[in-house]
Amino acid sequence: MQTLMIPEIGHLALIIALLMALVQGIMPLAGAATRRPLWMAYARPMATGQFLFLAIAYACLTASYLLDDFSVANVANNSNSLLPWYYKASAVWGNHEGSVLLWSLILAGWGFAVSQFSRELPRDMLARVMGVMGLVSLGFLAFVLITSNPFERLLPNVPQDGADLNPLLQDFGLIVHPPMLYMGYVGFSVVFAFAIAALLGGRLDAAWTRWARPWTNIAWAFLTVGIALGSWWAYYELGWGGWWFWDPVENASLLPWLAGTALIHSLAVTEKRGAFKSWTVLLAISTFSLSLMGTFLVRSGVLTSVHAFANDPSRGFFILVLLGITVGLSLLLFALRAPRVSHQVGFSWLSRDALLLINNILLVIMTVTVLLGTVYPLLLDALNLGKISVGPPYFNALFVPLTVVLCLFMGLGPLSRWKHTPARDLFKRSWTAGLAALVIGAVAPLLYRGEWNLKVSLGVVIALWVVLPMARDLWVKSRHADGRMAGLRRLSLSYWGMILGHLGIAVTIIGVTVVSNYAIERNVRMGVGDSAAVAGYTFTMTELASRRGPNYLADTAEIEVRRGDSQRSFTMTPEKRLYLARGMPMTQVALRPGLFRDLYVAMGEDLEDGSWAMRIQHKPFVRWLWLGALLMAAGGVLAVADRRYRRTVTARDPTRDSERAAIAAPREALP
Amino acid sequence: MKRRLLLLLPLIGFLVLGAFLYMGLSINPFDRDSALMAREFPDFELTTLEDPERVVDASLLEGEVTLVNVWGEWCPTCKQEMPQLLDLAEDGVRLVGVDYKDTREKGREFLAEFGNPFEVNIFDPEGSLGFDLGVYGAPETFLVDRDGIIRYHHTGYIRPEDVSETILPEVEKWR
Amino acid sequence: MALIIRLLLCALLLLPVLGQAAVEVRQFDDPVTEQRYRDLTATLRCPKCENQAIDDSESPIATDMRERVYRQLQDGRSDKEILDFMVSRFGDYVLYNPRLEGRTLLLWGLPAGLVLLGALVVVFMVRARRRTSARDLSAEERQRLEALIKRERTE
């Protein structure tokens, strides 16, 4: 029996990390307020120490999983000796306690990174930023140690084996989705800390936005990838071919993403033009607040969801208090310290400033709409007005039109200039693209499926409207005496970032439009030798068999698929598994991915007469959904890979010179 | 001044939201009122478990305050709440059972093993009456008054405390 | 309290099985009815599952509901009649598309209201800022600026 000290070491490391977070939270903030360099200097070492000890704690928990130490309650509840090692390692975050530990580790990681990569920040600013991050860490570590300790032991009654990881989670998706998602959620704590630090220090010029931008964009990119991975995982795992259900947990991740998208644009405006300063601060606070609120929604049992973690109201209460203190104090600070008089930066109707203002307003409306729909059932229930449901029909009805409007302005945004764009210029740059978009969009459904479809046309038109004006702009901007390649190379990374980011949205929109309107689904009865025709493909069942996996039994079907009259065929093998430890049946979908279509076969029910009810789906362009997200994420990162963010100043007085450079930045005219 | 108020709006909005989230913590999302509250017991035509020849309909529930309990042999919690139902029968409450999605054999076995507090059991193998009652799991219990109107609904297990705290008082109220 | 909830959930019919596609082979007279079946089963919520539509859940009640929807479609009932049928048995809870009524006015109205408000905000802000433009510093202001910079340098 395992009576190793590993869990105790992990527990101790957690406590030490908490103490370090406490020091990191208090000393630098106090030091900045009282101008004590010694106190401020605590920030870096404490951040490093906290990260180190949390890494130790996390490693201890992972070790307990890998070593099958079932004396640890968390391992006993979520793992099993038959589980493959990579799922044991991922099972660490496949439950509430472990995932909050991961949250804390990632938070400490970001804090450590900020402390390492912020040499050019003024000392007091850095101290405040680290201090705020330390306080947030403190809250989370307190939450872990008080309510969700992963190192609790089951001694002396150690179970023989664990309860196994939920079969639905025994999948590649578990290995990648949560870490990416958390990197995003938690990453927004950095810009949050910067905003609070700016408020605390009274330094509300545009400088903080310049420092915060790279951190924000990278967090946003991670969140984009995390959400896309979640959607992709649900798609191939859950067996119904859907990729978004507006489930509360899904919405919990979308809310900070929407606010984060508004934020990355707002930061750009504030950095470039010094406009919307208070608004950007508020957005920075709100984005992270939405991350925290998402954490609350998912773990408190307040909303019903298939994805929810432990539904424990007492834990929910703790998180709510955490949320209340963090967000409440931040918003109070905002109300008290935000500049009372805003410096009126002038701009006209057709300026980039105005278009980004519209972008922000629309994104905020979308955020509020999703938030409203998500908590509305709760609102009504709390007011004793009954129990209702708000689901996909509501969200789609509102979100889609808002996206269309957003895209209308997105076409113009990249073409516009700061402060003022002559209408004539804007028209000249966009009218051919607009016309092309309308024509191609109108014709697209006819070409693709031979029948006109308004929704499809609309989707294609707006996607093209986002892309074509940019393409033309790229063409014009890359004109160079030394040739096109030289011209392209001359363009800034920020510009490329914007192109990729917006291209990503267009690609996603095409994916959504086509798959929503043209996906085909058929439920058919198939025995060995039977065929079904779907979307020009012929599916023939060639074999039905049983097999045994590492921790499950399975019924498998071999389906031979042929396209049209082609001689070539390929095989798809869906399965229906029964996981032994939990006695839980599960569908393993057979997926044939392609750039322009996915084929999807699932075994439904054993009809007991040698045949099965099978579900066959043809999903055109579904991959574009997630490819678009990848493009967006790449764009986000590229936009801040620009040299000016990586430049470390090495003049005699690094602090002052970098401040001057930061203040001078708004005068740049390049995007 | 106006600006200051504007700046306080986010905080106020958050506090309102927070209040609702707090209230949400004490709400159980599965604790739903039946859609049939204050409405007539749905009409049906089914045989009884005891006698395949005897056909009953909604008039069975008129004339006296009745507690209708939906149960099944497959339902473990129904076994656990039997003692409470037997207590209620002893207290003089009229109980009618609905044997939901069982075979006759299984239903009779269940009653033989765990007791039969029911005056009679409606045999609902297809679950059609259950469906019309909006039953989505067992056990579920309905209080029907003398005129055949559903007045109270209890989803799930009836604890011993529920008997004295809610069910008996409700029965009394509608007697 | 938590124990009660757990007992209650156990008591409810066989655990909803996730990762299961609810697959029945059904015959339809025409593609329109088939699409209506798809749409209806996607918009009706399974009363006992943790947020799934009845087209997605294999729990017995969802299966029963799908069967009813199918039968009623074959009987020629309208979408509204079928939805009302379900609501009268299971409550408004089973509608994923919330009805427009008094208590959902805020739900349906706020987004539209915000769009209007947003438009007004944009209009007012741009109008206010169109007038603002950086004007040149006066001679006196320029002197003050020089003095300030000089002071910064020597600190």
Side-chain angles (χ1 to χ4, degrees):
Chain A
M1 279 285 103
Q2 311 271 23
T3 48
L4 296 170
M5 290 293 288
I6 293 177
E8 275 64 43
I9 294 174
H11 195 173
L12 186 63
L14 257 185
I15 296 174
I16 296 176
L18 178 107
L19 293 171
M20 291 190 151
L22 181 66
V23 176
Q24 184 189 330
I26 297 184
M27 297 293 282
L29 282 174
T34 57
R35 296 181 196 279
R36 283 192 167 86
L38 184 62
W39 289 11
M40 291 197 271
Y42 271 89
R44 257 197 209 111
M46 285 297 117
T48 310
Q50 195 203 139
F51 181 48
L52 182 67
F53 280 97
L54 263 171
I56 292 174
Y58 189 81
C60 288
L61 187 59
T62 307
S64 300
Y65 269 85
L66 291 173
L67 293 171
D68 283 336
D69 185 356
F70 298 118
S71 69
V72 179
N74 194 259
V75 180
N77 290 333
N78 298 291
S79 183
N80 188 277
S81 51
L82 293 172
L83 205 56
W85 70 268
Y86 39 87
Y87 289 143
K88 284 184 188 167
S90 321
V92 175
W93 59 66
N95 61 84
H96 167 74
E97 294 85 355
S99 65
V100 185
L101 185 61
L102 180 66
W103 230 98
S104 308
L105 175 67
I106 293 180
L107 185 57
W110 279 96
F112 174 65
V114 172
S115 73
Q116 293 298 311
F117 291 106
S118 302
R119 306 282 166 183
E120 76 272 10
L121 245 68
R123 207 168 24 199
D124 59 335
M125 182 75 174
L126 181 64
R128 290 200 175 97
V129 170
M130 298 309 304
V132 172
M133 291 196 76
L135 288 177
V136 178
S137 282
L138 180 66
F140 268 89
L141 287 171
F143 176 61
V144 171
L145 279 169
I146 297 176
T147 73
S148 319
N149 191 343
F151 294 112
E152 271 185 25
R153 296 270 224 163
L154 286 174
L155 300 166
N157 300 320
V158 179
Q160 288 280 50
D161 210 333
D164 203 13
L165 181 64
N166 187 327
L168 274 174
L169 297 179
Q170 293 184 28
D171 185 87
F172 177 70
L174 179 67
I175 300 178
V176 287
H177 164 64
M180 285 284 149
L181 202 63
Y182 288 10
M183 284 293 282
Y185 275 148
V186 177
F188 283 122
S189 66
V190 178
V191 64
F192 169 78
F194 269 98
I196 300 291
L199 283 172
L200 285 173
R203 219 198 229 107
L204 276 155
D205 50 30
W208 78 270
T209 59
R210 185 181 157 269
W211 296 315
R213 264 187 94 177
W215 300 104
T216 317
N217 276 45
I218 293 173
W220 179 87
F222 270 116
L223 188 58
T224 309
V225 173
I227 295 176
L229 282 174
S231 161
W232 172 65
W233 186 18
Y235 165 77
Y236 73 78
E237 171 86 356
L238 291 179
W240 56 289
W243 42 269
W244 191 260
F245 192 63
W246 296 106
D247 178 88
V249 171
E250 295 175 346
N251 294 348
S253 66
L254 189 65
L255 287 170
W257 186 85
L258 288 168
T261 308
L263 180 60
I264 59 179
H265 290 89
S266 186
L267 280 170
V269 181
T270 307
E271 185 199 350
K272 286 261 138 29
R273 301 273 286 144
F276 311 150
K277 286 203 277 275
S278 305
W279 172 249
T280 304
V281 170
L282 182 61
L283 254 188
I285 295 176
S286 306
T287 307
F288 186 58
S289 304
L290 287 167
S291 282
L292 289 178
M293 211 192 61
T295 307
F296 169 77
L297 287 175
V298 169
R299 294 165 198 274
S300 59
V302 159
L303 294 170
T304 341
S305 164
V306 294
H307 306 277
F309 278 105
N311 292 329
D312 192 338
S314 63
R315 282 174 176 161
F317 181 68
F318 198 110
I319 304 182
L320 190 59
V321 170
L322 203 63
L323 185 68
I325 295 176
T326 314
V327 180
L329 286 180
S330 308
L331 290 175
L332 183 63
L333 185 67
F334 173 75
L336 296 175
R337 286 290 193 98
R340 250 170 300 178
V341 181
S342 61
H343 167 47
Q344 292 279 15
V345 173
F347 55 84
S348 76
W349 288 107
L350 290 172
S351 58
R352 185 169 281 196
D353 318 55
L355 286 168
L356 284 178
L357 172 65
I358 295 175
N359 151 299
N360 258 228
I361 288 182
L362 281 169
L363 281 167
V364 166
I365 295 178
M366 286 157 96
T367 309
V368 172
T369 304
V370 174
L371 180 61
L372 186 67
T374 307
V375 301
Y376 209 76
L378 171 63
L379 252 62
L380 286 190
D381 201 0
L383 293 171
N384 255 322
L385 288 170
K387 292 195 186 323
I388 67 163
S389 299
V390 179
Y394 170 80
F395 290 104
N396 288 332
L398 291 174
F399 201 77
V400 171
L402 285 170
T403 308
V404 171
V405 177
L406 186 66
C407 288
L408 285 177
F409 290 103
M410 261 173 85
L412 295 174
L415 306 174
S416 61
R417 276 193 261 238
W418 293 107
K419 190 158 177 174
H420 176 69
T421 325
R424 207 187 36 211
D425 265 7
L426 207 54
F427 185 72
K428 196 178 76 173
R429 295 175 181 190
S430 63
W431 79 269
T432 41
L435 197 60
L438 277 170
V439 169
I440 300 176
V443 169
L446 288 167
L447 292 176
Y448 188 63
R449 283 294 166 93
E451 203 185 335
W452 194 64
N453 183 317
L454 176 62
K455 288 188 199 164
V456 175
S457 281
L458 187 60
V460 175
V461 168
I462 60 170
L464 287 177
W465 173 241
V466 168
V467 174
L468 293 179
M470 257 185 356
R472 183 195 172 278
D473 194 58
L474 179 64
W475 184 258
V476 166
K477 281 206 169 79
S478 57
R479 274 196 200 125
H480 198 264
D482 296 336
R484 187 64 60 179
M485 281 311 293
L488 286 173
R489 239 177 273 133
R490 214 175 52 95
L491 296 167
S492 74
L493 283 177
S494 306
Y495 184 73
W496 281 110
M498 179 191 72
I499 298 232
L500 275 183
H502 289 197
L503 178 64
I505 299 252
V507 168
T508 297
I509 290 179
I510 298 275
V512 170
T513 307
V514 176
V515 85
S516 303
N517 287 287
Y518 289 132
I520 297 176
E521 176 187 304
R522 285 195 54 200
N523 290 355
V524 289
R525 184 184 154 279
M526 279 175 97
V528 177
D530 289 335
S531 289
V534 178
Y537 290 85
T538 314
F539 295 80
T540 312
M541 185 182 280
T542 55
E543 195 184 319
L544 266 178
S546 301
R547 73 176 190 93
R548 196 194 168 102
N551 51 346
Y552 59 84
L553 295 168
D555 285 305
T556 49
E558 281 216 0
I559 313 277
E560 187 189 79
V561 187
R562 207 179 285 269
R563 182 171 183 179
D565 294 323
S566 165
Q567 291 294 36
R568 287 182 305 140
S569 69
F570 52 87
T571 318
M572 295 175 73
T573 324
E575 278 186 355
K576 190 102 173 191
R577 294 182 182 173
L578 179 68
Y579 280 84
L580 300 165
R582 288 197 183 189
M584 212 168 124
M586 242 199 61
T587 313
Q588 197 69 14
V589 168
L591 201 58
R592 182 88 178 176
L595 186 57
F596 293 104
R597 60 100 187 104
D598 266 26
L599 292 174
Y600 193 97
V601 180
M603 294 176 81
E605 251 182 277
D606 190 346
L607 296 171
E608 307 288 341
D609 60 354
S611 71
W612 278 72
M614 310 286 287
R615 174 173 283 184
I616 300 175
Q617 298 193 45
H618 177 259
K619 299 227 167 253
F621 281 75
V622 72
R623 304 262 138 191
W624 285 49
L625 263 166
W626 306 305
L627 284 173
L630 290 178
L631 285 172
M632 279 189 244
V637 174
L638 220 54
V640 291
D642 214 79
R643 197 81 52 85
R644 67 171 187 253
Y645 294 109
R646 291 183 278 136
R647 182 177 56 215
T648 42
V649 185
T650 50
R652 254 177 315 140
D653 193 342
T655 311
R656 197 168 293 161
D657 277 11
S658 70
E659 276 182 67
R660 285 238 189 88
I663 294 168
R667 282 201 234 113
E668 283 174 23
L670 282 171
Chain B
M1 185 55 203
K2 206 174 77 175
R3 169 117 173 139
R4 191 55 92 210
L5 277 174
L6 204 63
L7 293 175
L8 276 170
L9 267 182
L11 178 64
I12 297 173
F14 170 70
L15 289 173
V16 170
L17 179 62
F20 278 111
L21 293 178
Y22 176 69
M23 287 194 263
L25 284 175
S26 42
I27 293 176
N28 176 7
F30 278 106
D31 209 354
R32 296 199 297 274
D33 264 344
S34 167
L36 293 153
M37 279 301 253
R39 284 175 35 205
E40 261 179 32
F41 197 88
D43 207 5
F44 61 94
E45 208 176 284
L46 294 166
T47 59
T48 65
L49 182 64
E50 292 81 5
D51 182 2
E53 305 291 312
R54 180 184 170 198
V55 177
V56 286
D57 60 25
S59 60
L60 174 67
L61 301 154
E62 286 169 22
E64 200 188 326
V65 171
T66 316
L67 217 52
V68 178
N69 179 270
V70 179
W71 58 272
E73 184 272 344
W74 42 267
C75 159
T77 320
C78 303
K79 299 171 186 162
Q80 289 171 353
E81 74 172 7
M82 253 325 174
Q84 282 79 276
L85 293 178
L86 288 164
D87 277 341
L88 280 164
E90 260 168 61
D91 284 335
V93 180
R94 180 183 182 230
L95 277 107
V96 170
V98 178
D99 186 10
Y100 179 66
K101 295 211 169 180
D102 261 343
T103 60
R104 275 223 151 77
E105 258 171 58
K106 289 252 154 78
R108 290 196 188 132
E109 259 172 45
F110 180 86
L111 293 174
E113 187 174 343
F114 295 99
N116 187 357
F118 304 109
E119 180 191 287
V120 66
N121 281 287
I122 304 167
F123 184 53
D124 188 14
E126 310 283 309
S128 58
L129 174 58
F131 194 89
D132 286 335
L133 281 169
V135 165
Y136 52 85
E140 286 194 37
T141 311
F142 298 84
L143 181 72
V144 185
D145 71 12
R146 275 181 293 188
D147 304 309
I149 311 281
I150 295 177
R151 293 295 180 184
Y152 175 73
H153 174 234
H154 185 107
T155 327
Y157 176 64
I158 295 178
R159 301 169 302 164
E161 308 90 86
D162 293 327
V163 171
S164 47
E165 281 168 23
T166 31
I167 300 193
L168 280 177
E170 286 287 331
V171 170
E172 283 313 310
K173 190 164 95 175
W174 293 103
R175 267 227 169 101
Chain C
M1 196 57 217
L3 179 65
I4 305 304
I5 297 172
R6 243 173 267 151
L7 279 176
L8 194 144
L9 289 174
C10 283
L12 305 181
L13 281 169
L14 325 163
L15 296 170
V17 208
L18 302 176
Q20 298 276 59
V23 183
E24 291 110 6
V25 186
R26 294 204 193 277
Q27 303 300 336
F28 293 97
D29 294 328
D30 58 81
V32 175
T33 318
E34 182 167 7
Q35 190 57 43
R36 283 176 64 202
Y37 176 76
R38 291 251 161 74
D39 292 338
L40 282 167
T41 54
T43 198
L44 282 165
R45 180 174 190 168
C46 162
K48 73 174 292 249
C49 313
E50 308 237 327
N51 201 28
Q52 279 177 291
I54 62 175
D55 70 352
D56 179 30
S57 162
E58 264 206 8
S59 76
I61 186 67
T63 310
D64 286 348
M65 287 171 80
R66 282 197 306 274
E67 181 64 39
R68 293 290 186 125
V69 171
Y70 176 67
R71 269 195 262 150
Q72 298 213 340
L73 280 171
Q74 300 295 87
D75 286 340
R77 295 275 163 79
S78 74
D79 285 359
K80 184 178 184 314
E81 285 174 318
I82 297 176
L83 290 175
D84 285 342
F85 176 85
M86 293 296 174
V87 170
S88 69
R89 282 151 184 74
F90 299 98
D92 287 315
Y93 183 78
V94 292
L95 291 177
Y96 267 132
N97 193 3
R99 296 210 157 127
L100 180 59
E101 49 192 358
R103 59 185 178 168
T104 59
L105 273 179
L106 184 67
L107 179 68
W108 287 105
L110 185 64
L114 286 178
V115 172
L116 278 169
L117 184 65
L120 286 173
V121 166
V122 174
V123 167
F124 279 123
M125 280 186 78
V126 179
R127 272 174 59 181
R129 290 172 188 234
R130 258 169 73 204
R131 312 270 169 225
T132 316
S133 56
R135 51 173 179 72
D136 284 310
L137 299 170
S138 72
E140 195 229 324
E141 286 172 330
R142 216 169 291 155
Q143 272 182 342
R144 279 171 60 200
L145 181 60
E146 283 304 313
L148 279 168
I149 293 178
K150 208 170 291 167
R151 195 179 356 137
E152 258 253 310
R153 279 220 177 96
T154 55
E155 266 172 6

